[in-house]
Each structure stands twice: as structure tokens, then as C-alpha cells.
């Protein structure tokens, strides 16, 4: 009979969200377990050696490893149990508890936990998911893989490359590869505007005179053992290649930065409802999912621009998970129309003790002088003006909602309008 | 350094100081350069520097002799001229770390005569996890 170990709070994933969640749960007095499948803590921050992390939380421009260390260094002074090189292979529910099967260096362990927090991060979209087909040659990398080769293994994956997609990691890798002596021919973006933060377009591309080509995409790749060239074509408004615009660019690598998707296979395996817009769990303002005692935070919940907010979301989940509060939540839906890409959280608790809720949203398109309106039962609860809104730039909105403003089951509705 | 935009010209600068990424509109007037669009005064400081002597922090990696971490991440402990980024990166390609350095340890002093040091930004060589 396998021994079953019991914890109050178990966190899967020791990146920035999981580290913050574990420390917050521990601080609140919970017997806490942090499970990480890699040998080292810190998640993706380990390979994000560029700076800019921590401006919001620490008022400093830290590199990823430095930011992670601010949390990792607190662990020895906490009571958090840390399991590295440990992989959660299966979860099942027993009443309100979760039972985890964990493959560790010592063998398979059974963990029973009152509260479970998914801090599993996100994954990069691959060439298969964007329709670059038919390649069997080496030399097609996601930006994150190229980053791992360069920053962790110390191996430069390319001498001359094309970057497809203008997500932040792609922009950062364009600069990184340039600094290491590789030639970045250009960054190609199928959409008419860049996907990454404006400041990254500025400091990663403009600083190094790396061209950014919008409304262009890669239509074919060439090469047998190794990539030798890619074909680029202009695309129309519906992202379909325009015949006759093709050009061939010789290169030895294609670096993809074409989006991130929250990783939720484990959460889905126990029936956690997922939001089709965020691809993360549906949660309330405490980051508790629709399953009681199951939480989600960080990039597993929705893809964030800033690690500072990832840590914040982990702290919210860790603190709430430690509270083990199972009284009725009185959930009210939070909805948005098609002027917003999404709003998180997707529910708020009518019975919450804290009146302040933190919302995150993205606009569907670039907007100038936009106004946000939040209504319930046709009554406007809140309005705010924004000089600029861009889909790549997530907005954080702390909002004080009094109990009398959120009576009844009618949804809270978010709407953006340009004036 | 003279801090100007060409007469009757304008320039838009994206501030990289914080995630807001303010688009700062710089316009040469008779009273000097006028700035608009920034959410805070750091934006004015950044745009002013950007018009005369753009400065950047460099983050990169250097080789080590340790197999478990063949490279270690580093950065400048202050800003250097933007024009020197590539030169400094090239100089650091020749550095090999042979001590178990930790966050904040100096890897190279006064790199390329910039007056700034290169410091380690990772505890990979000293942590077991």
C-alpha cells in the first residue's frame, strides 16, 4: 500500500506564479508543497536573462534569474516542502480534496491535498499550429527553445535567421542573437501591427536596426538535413498569402514567436472549466476555479505581459488556498463584448470579504481615447478613460465594488468604446 | 551635448523605462524641446537622453568552465552608450568564468573603458536548485 502524504496546499509548477503562491500559502500558515518537474526552480525566468523584470514590485530593473532569486531565497526560511525533478502524472478528486500521483526520484508518491494550485505556465505555439508545413529539417525553433540553447546551454542555434511573429520573446531573441553575433535578417509579422510590447520593438529591433515587416509571413521552408531558406509572402487582411509577392531568403534557422497558450492538460483532466478566450481556467477574484479548492494563477490562467502581475496572481491564489474557505461564493459572471479580448476574473464572489477586486483585460484592437464602461443591471458602476489601448498591452484595473452594487445574478459587463 | 530636434521637426520616442512604453512626442520649439505623451517625468529624462546620448543596460551571458552551467547570465551594473552595446558584447565573448560566482559578483571591471562593471545575474553556480 502506497503511503499517502497530506498537505493543506499543493502547488504544481515553481515558476514565478508557483513560487509566490507557495510563499503566500506558507505565510498564511498552511502546510505547503511545491512540485517542480525541472531540476531548478524559477520556471522560464531561468532563461530570461534580459532585464525589465520587477519594475512594478521592486522598483528595479532585474533580469529573470535575479527576479526569481528574490523568491527562491525566501524558501529556506519558510516551511514550504519543495519537490524538484517531480512530475504530476495524474490527479483525481476525493470529495473536496485532490489526490496527486507524483513521479519523483524516490519513486511514485501519492499526495492528498485540501487545496490545489495550478501554476503550470504556458507553452509556445509551434510551426504545426500555424500551418508552416512539410518541414523535416533541423533549424525551426520556437523563440523559447532558441533562448534555452543560447542562454542556458551556451550554444548559438543560428548564424543567419528569420524571426516569424513579433511576440515579446521573438523580439528579445532577435536582439539576443544579434548580440551573440548572429545575423537576424528580419522579423516578419502576419498581422498589420506588432504583437509585442512597443518598448520591446523599440529597444530590441530599432536599437539594432533589425527590420520589422508587418503583413508578411513565411509560406514555405527549404532544406533537407538543415534549413537553407524560407519563402516569405505578403498577406491580405485575412492573413492569406498574396500570389506573386513571394521572396526567398537564405538562412539556417526560422525562429517562431507566434503566441503562447496556457498549459492546462492536468486542470482539464479533473474537469476544471476553461475559458475559450483566455485558454485558462474560469476563476473568481481569488483565482479559485469553478471546482472548490482548485486554483489557477500566472500564465496558466492567462498569458501576462509582466512577471510582476504573475507573482501577484500567485500570491492571491496562495493566500486564498490557505484560507480553506468553502462557504458559498455567490458567483456573479463577468462578461465582455467583442471590444475586449477577455477579462479575468470571469466571476466575482458576492460574498467576498475584500471589496477590492483586480481585473485584467485586453482590448480587441488598437484604440485611442477609449473609455471603459462596467455595467450591471443596466446601471453604470464604473467608467475610465484610456489614452491608448493595444491588444499586446494588458491593463490591470483594481476596482472597489460595494456589496450593494453587486446584488442579484446579472453579469458585470465590460465594454470599450473609442470617443 | 546639445539636446535638440532639428528645427521645426518632431520625433516620437518610445520610452523603455517601464512597461507603460509611453510614446513621447518631442517637438523643437523656440523655447527648447517640448515633450508630450509621457505619463511621468522619467519619460522626459529618457527622451532627453535619447535625443543626445542614448544609454542602455546590456544583458548577455559569458562562458564558464563548469559543465552544469556552460554559460552564466550577466549585465552591466549601469548604463553604457547604445553605440557600444555590440563592442561590449564582443569583448565579453572572450571572458571565461572559472569561479563559482553569485548574483552581484563582478565579472569584468570598467568594460571597454565605459566606466561600468559587468556583474553576474544568476545563482546557478552556487545553488543546488
Amino acid at each position: 500500500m502506497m503511503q499517502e502524504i497530506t498537505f493543506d496546499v499543493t502547488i504544481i509548477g515553481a515558476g514565478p506564479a508557483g513560487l509566490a503562491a507557495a510563499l503566500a500559502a506558507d505565510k498564511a500558515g498552511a502546510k505547503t508543497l511545491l512540485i517542480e518537474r525541472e531540476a531548478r526552480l524559477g520556471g522560464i525566468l531561468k532563461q530570461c536573462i534580459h532585464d525589465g523584470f520587477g519594475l512594478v514590485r521592486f522598483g528595479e530593473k532585474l533580469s529573470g534569474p535575479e527576479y526569481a532569486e528574490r523568491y527562491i531565497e525566501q524558501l529556506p526560511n519558510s516551511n514550504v516542502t519543495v519537490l524538484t525533478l517531480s512530475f504530476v502524472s495524474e490527479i483525481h478528486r476525493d470529495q473536496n480534496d485532490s489526490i496527486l500521483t507524483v513521479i519523483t526520484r524516490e519513486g511514485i508518491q501519492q499526495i492528498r491535498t485540501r487545496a490545489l494550485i495550478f501554476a503550470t505556465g504556458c507553452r509556445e505555439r509551434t510551426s504545426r499550429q500555424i500551418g508552416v508545413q512539410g518541414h523535416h529539417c533541423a533549424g525551426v525553433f520556437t523563440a523559447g527553445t532558441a533562448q534555452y540553447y543560447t542562454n542556458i546551454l551556451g550554444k548559438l542555434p543560428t548564424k543567419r535567421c528569420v524571426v516569424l511573429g513579433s511576440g515579446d520573446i521573438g523580439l528579445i531573441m532577435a536582439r539576443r542573437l544579434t548580440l551573440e553575433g548572429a545575423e537576424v535578417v528580419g522579423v516578419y509579422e502576419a498581422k498589420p501591427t506588432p504583437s509585442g510590447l512597443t518598448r520591446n520593438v523599440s529597444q530590441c529591433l530599432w536599437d539594432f536596426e533589425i527590420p520589422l515587416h508587418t503583413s508578411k509571413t513565411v509560406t514555405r521552408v527549404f532544406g533537407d538535413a538543415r534549413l537553407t531558406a524560407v519563402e516569405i509572402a505578403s498577406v491580405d487582411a485575412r492573413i492569406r498569402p498574396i500570389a506573386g509577392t513571394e521572396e526567398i531568403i537564405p538562412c539556417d534557422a526560422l525562429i517562431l514567436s507566434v503566441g503562447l497558450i496556457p498549459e492546462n492538460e492536468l486542470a482539464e483532466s479533473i474537469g476544471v472549466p476553461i475559458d475559450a478566450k483566455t485558454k485558462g481556467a474560469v476563476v473568481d477574484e481569488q483565482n479559485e476555479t469553478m471546482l472548490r479548492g482548485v486554483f489557477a494563477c500566472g500564465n496558466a490562467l492567462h498569458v501576462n505581459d509582466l512577471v510582476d502581475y504573475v507573482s501577484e496572481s500567485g500570491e492571491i491564489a496562495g493566500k486564498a488556498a490557505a484560507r480553506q474557505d468553502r462557504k458559498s461564493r455567490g458567483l456573479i459572471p463577468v462578461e465582455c463584448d467583442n471590444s475586449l479580448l477577455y477579462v479575468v476574473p470571469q466571476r466575482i464572489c458576492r460574498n467576498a470579504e475584500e471589496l477590492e477586486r483586480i481585473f485584467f483585460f485586453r482590448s480587441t484592437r488598437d484604440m485611442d481615447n477609449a473609455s471603459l464602461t462596467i455595467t450591471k443591471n443596466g446601471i453604470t458602476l464604473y467608467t475610465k478613460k484610456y489614452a491608448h489601448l493595444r491588444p499586446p498591452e494588458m491593463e490591470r484595473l483594481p476596482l472597489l465594488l460595494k456589496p450593494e452594487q453587486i446584488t442579484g445574478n446579472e453579469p458585470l459587463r465590460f465594454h470599450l468604446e473609442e470617443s | 551635448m546639445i539636446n535638440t530636434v532639428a528645427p521645426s521637426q518632431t520625433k516620437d520616442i518610445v520610452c523603455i523605462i517601464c512597461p507603460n512604453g509611453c510614446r513621447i512626442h518631442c517637438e523643437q520649439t523656440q523655447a527648447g524641446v517640448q515633450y508630450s505623451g509621457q505619463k511621468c517625468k522619467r519619460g522626459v529624462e529618457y527622451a532627453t537622453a535619447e535625443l543626445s546620448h542614448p544609454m542602455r543596460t546590456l544583458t548577455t551571458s559569458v562562458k564558464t568552465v563548469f559543465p552544469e552551467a556552460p554559460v552564466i547570465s550577466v549585465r552591466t551594473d549601469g548604463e553604457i552608450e547604445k553605440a557600444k552595446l555590440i563592442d561590449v558584447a564582443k569583448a565579453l565573448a572572450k571572458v571565461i568564468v572559472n569561479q563559482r560566482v553569485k548574483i552581484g559578483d563582478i565579472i569584468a571591471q570598467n568594460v571597454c573603458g565605459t566606466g561600468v562593471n559587468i556583474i553576474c545575474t544568476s545563482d546557478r553556480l552556487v545553488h543546488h536548485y
Side-chain angles (χ1 to χ4, degrees):
Chain A
M1 179 76 189
M2 202 186 303
Q3 199 192 342
E4 191 180 84
I5 312 164
T6 305
F7 284 90
D8 297 328
V9 178
T10 299
I11 298 107
I12 305 176
L19 286 166
L23 289 165
D26 174 72
K27 199 176 160 199
K31 187 186 173 196
T32 304
L33 172 67
L34 177 61
I35 304 174
E36 169 55 50
R37 64 184 173 191
E38 288 191 38
R40 290 168 187 268
L41 308 179
I44 203 68
L45 287 174
K46 295 192 296 291
Q47 67 185 59
C48 296
I49 68 166
H50 53 281
D51 71 350
F53 300 95
L55 273 162
V56 178
R57 283 187 94 77
F58 301 114
E60 286 180 64
K61 267 193 344 189
L62 302 169
S63 67
E66 288 172 294
Y67 184 95
E69 191 53 32
R70 296 280 167 109
Y71 293 85
I72 294 169
E73 70 187 7
Q74 295 178 46
L75 286 172
N77 302 322
S78 75
N79 292 313
V80 177
T81 303
V82 179
L83 274 180
T84 53
L85 292 170
S86 298
F87 187 82
V88 177
S89 64
E90 212 180 329
I91 304 172
H92 64 267
R93 298 274 285 166
D94 179 24
Q95 309 290 344
N96 271 331
D97 291 356
S98 300
I99 318 282
L100 280 63
T101 305
V102 190
I103 302 164
T104 74
R105 278 166 292 178
E106 279 75 44
I108 295 176
Q109 286 187 20
Q110 201 94 275
I111 310 274
R112 173 181 288 269
T113 187
R114 282 272 287 140
L116 176 62
I117 302 179
F118 288 101
T120 42
C122 58
R123 294 288 159 269
E124 293 178 284
R125 289 175 77 198
T126 63
S127 57
R128 310 279 158 181
Q129 287 162 294
I130 58 158
V132 176
Q133 288 169 5
H135 67 81
H136 299 282
C137 54
V140 181
F141 302 98
T142 61
T145 302
Q147 191 178 43
Y148 180 78
Y149 271 75
T150 312
N151 296 349
I152 302 290
L153 300 180
K155 306 269 186 213
L156 197 60
T158 176
K159 291 193 176 77
R160 186 175 203 266
C161 68
V162 159
V163 179
L164 176 61
S166 56
D168 287 307
I169 321 168
L171 301 176
I172 281 155
M173 280 315 292
R175 172 177 65 180
R176 184 79 193 102
L177 293 166
T178 305
L179 283 170
E180 288 295 329
E183 183 191 351
V184 179
V185 181
V187 174
Y188 294 83
E189 170 59 59
K191 291 194 288 280
T193 54
S195 314
L197 299 175
T198 311
R199 64 193 287 266
N200 283 334
V201 175
S202 174
Q203 65 181 339
C204 298
L205 301 188
W206 299 347
D207 274 9
F208 297 92
E209 291 165 7
I210 301 166
L212 171 66
H213 305 275
T214 52
S215 300
K216 286 192 177 192
T217 194
V218 171
T219 40
R220 283 166 78 189
V221 299
F222 302 93
D224 292 325
R226 177 79 191 199
L227 190 83
T228 54
V230 298
E231 181 189 76
I232 303 280
S234 296
V235 296
D236 63 17
R238 292 172 63 190
I239 320 277
R240 289 171 310 195
I242 302 166
T245 62
E246 299 87 355
E247 56 176 314
I248 306 288
I249 297 176
C251 56
D252 65 10
L254 172 63
I255 312 280
L256 300 171
S257 178
V258 287
L260 301 166
I261 303 166
E263 171 150 311
N264 279 300
E265 279 90 343
L266 273 175
E268 284 181 84
S269 78
I270 54 166
V272 171
I274 301 292
D275 182 343
K277 292 174 178 172
T278 57
K279 312 274 192 294
V282 174
V283 293
D284 65 19
E285 66 270 55
Q286 306 290 323
N287 289 344
E288 189 170 7
T289 69
M290 296 304 96
L291 299 190
R292 294 317 300 267
V294 178
F295 296 76
C297 57
N299 282 349
L301 182 54
H302 63 120
V303 177
N304 287 251
D305 312 338
L306 295 186
V307 71
D308 308 68
Y309 298 151
V310 166
S311 299
E312 179 185 47
S313 117
E315 270 162 19
I316 289 171
K319 201 173 146 196
R323 206 179 299 136
Q324 301 290 357
D325 185 356
R326 298 285 162 90
K327 71 176 188 213
S328 165
R329 292 190 273 185
L331 292 176
I332 301 167
V334 178
E335 293 178 356
C336 62
D337 58 20
N338 58 16
S339 60
L340 287 85
L341 281 179
Y342 67 75
V343 180
V344 172
Q346 298 88 343
R347 304 279 189 278
I348 54 169
C349 304
R350 198 181 302 117
N351 307 331
E353 278 162 32
E354 302 239 358
L355 298 184
E356 188 187 69
R357 278 98 173 169
I358 298 164
F359 293 93
F360 292 99
F361 69 88
R362 292 177 193 275
S363 64
T364 303
R365 55 186 177 82
D366 284 22
M367 288 185 177
D368 291 329
N369 302 318
S371 61
L372 170 72
T373 315
I374 304 173
T375 55
K376 189 175 188 308
N377 299 318
I379 299 162
T380 301
L381 298 183
Y382 183 79
T383 57
K384 185 175 178 180
K385 295 240 183 280
Y386 291 90
H388 307 285
L389 287 174
R390 296 185 59 229
E393 285 159 21
M394 189 177 82
E395 291 295 330
R396 176 183 182 274
L397 176 70
L399 194 60
L400 222 61
L401 290 170
K402 296 186 194 108
E404 60 269 26
Q405 290 180 299
I406 48 171
T407 54
N409 294 327
E410 265 284 297
L412 219 61
R413 297 183 200 275
F414 280 59
H415 171 69
L416 283 170
E417 209 164 283
E418 248 171 329
S419 50
Chain B
M1 285 262 189
I2 308 160
N3 163 27
T4 55
V5 179
S8 73
Q9 273 203 348
T10 64
K11 193 172 179 182
D12 281 351
I13 289 172
V14 176
C15 181
I16 62 165
I17 300 294
C18 92
N20 285 331
C22 292
R23 206 177 290 266
I24 304 173
H25 185 70
C26 312
E27 191 163 1
Q28 183 69 48
T29 67
Q30 289 185 329
V33 182
Q34 299 291 315
Y35 303 95
S36 57
Q38 69 281 2
K39 287 184 184 159
C40 78
K41 67 176 197 300
R42 288 184 301 176
V44 176
E45 288 163 19
Y46 176 77
T48 307
E50 207 55 16
L51 290 175
S52 56
H53 56 285
M55 302 293 280
R56 296 287 183 272
T57 303
L58 172 69
T59 58
T60 183
S61 60
V62 294
K63 293 189 192 75
T64 84
V65 298
F66 304 102
E68 76 272 23
V71 286
I72 191 100
S73 60
V74 298
R75 66 176 164 90
T76 52
D77 68 357
E79 293 192 318
I80 60 170
E81 283 172 53
K82 185 172 95 175
K84 286 199 170 168
L85 285 169
I86 296 281
D87 290 346
V88 174
K90 273 185 187 159
L92 292 175
K94 298 183 189 105
V95 172
I96 298 172
V97 170
N98 57 14
Q99 314 231 341
R100 290 200 172 266
V101 288
K102 59 179 189 308
I103 289 176
D105 285 356
I106 293 176
I107 306 288
Q109 284 185 322
N110 185 18
V111 62
C112 299
T114 54
V116 307
N117 299 325
I118 300 296
I119 56 168
C120 174
T121 61
S122 166
D123 276 352
R124 223 179 153 73
L125 288 171
V126 290
H127 260 326
H128 65 283
Y129 52 65

